[in-house]
Amino acid sequence: MKDKTIDYILRATWQAVARMYNEEASKYGATMSIGFALLSIDKEKGISSTALGPQMGMEPTSLTRTLKSMEEKGLIVRKKNPVDGRGVIIHLTELGREKRELSKTTVLKFNDIVKEHVSQEKLDHFTEVAEVINGLISEKKIYATDDSNKDETVNK
């Protein structure tokens, strides 16, 4: 993969991870999106639907579809926000809490297996590179309209 572009490596790796998680989740009648949502919902307080989408990085349409599926499976219930009656708080059901623990175990197993095969130093570098890429994107330094960003380098 040395000859591949950085975005190719990121995309191919993420697609492989997503495929792996979806294969595992399908054994339990779920999807990676459902597992991620379960992990993003506070098991005691729940979460507002408006906060969940940005936290998960999901588009509203995809989030709506995921939440509908979760509700149909009995994993969540929606309750009126006691502070703002216009909003909704999403809470895990007992089944949702059980599936949340299963999702957590699945993610931790992935982390443990990767850590068995990759040194902490390399994982630290991987994290640093990901943070730099995210920073460049969020600061709009990749395709900036301002030409002054062209010559800047970040922790090269």
Side-chain angles (χ1 to χ4, degrees):
M1 287 187 94
K2 282 192 281 194
D3 302 1
K4 307 292 183 202
T5 61
I6 295 165
D7 73 307
Y8 175 87
I9 295 166
L10 290 169
R11 187 175 57 252
T13 303
W14 176 247
Q15 286 174 345
V17 169
R19 195 169 37 254
M20 174 198 67
Y21 277 140
N22 274 316
E23 284 174 14
E24 189 64 22
S26 72
K27 296 174 186 175
Y28 305 98
T31 64
M32 180 186 73
S33 294
I34 288 174
F36 191 28
L38 289 168
L39 292 170
S40 299
I41 298 170
D42 184 287
K43 57 185 174 183
E44 303 305 324
K45 301 176 194 165
I47 190 169
S48 72
S49 54
T50 54
L52 184 59
Q55 183 173 322
M56 292 181 58
M58 270 183 123
E59 295 297 320
T61 311
S62 298
L63 180 63
T64 299
R65 191 171 41 250
T66 299
L67 292 175
K68 184 174 191 255
S69 175
M70 292 174 73
E71 200 166 25
E72 288 169 356
K73 292 175 187 300
L75 301 171
I76 60 166
V77 291
R78 301 178 205 221
K79 298 179 182 175
K80 273 193 185 264
N81 186 333
V83 177
D84 179 359
R86 298 170 297 171
V88 172
I89 304 291
I90 299 159
H91 292 274
L92 296 172
T93 62
E94 192 56 44
L95 179 61
R97 283 188 176 90
E98 290 172 22
K99 298 296 183 182
R100 183 183 194 278
E101 287 307 310
L102 181 60
S103 295
K104 184 177 172 182
T105 300
T106 302
V107 170
L108 292 176
K109 180 176 182 178
F110 170 75
N111 283 340
D112 290 344
I113 298 296
V114 171
K115 287 177 180 181
E116 287 175 14
H117 292 84
V118 180
S119 71
Q120 187 59 50
E121 181 181 12
K122 286 183 179 181
L123 285 171
D124 291 344
H125 288 303
F126 174 77
T127 302
E128 289 171 26
V129 170
E131 287 171 354
V132 169
I133 291 170
N134 281 322
L136 291 169
I137 293 167
S138 69
E139 294 167 18
K140 303 202 181 298
K141 291 190 175 183
I142 306 289
Y143 301 112
T145 54
D146 178 4
D147 288 339
S148 66
N149 289 328
K150 282 185 177 178
D151 297 328
E152 287 186 37
T153 57
V154 180
N155 296 331
K156 208 169 182 187

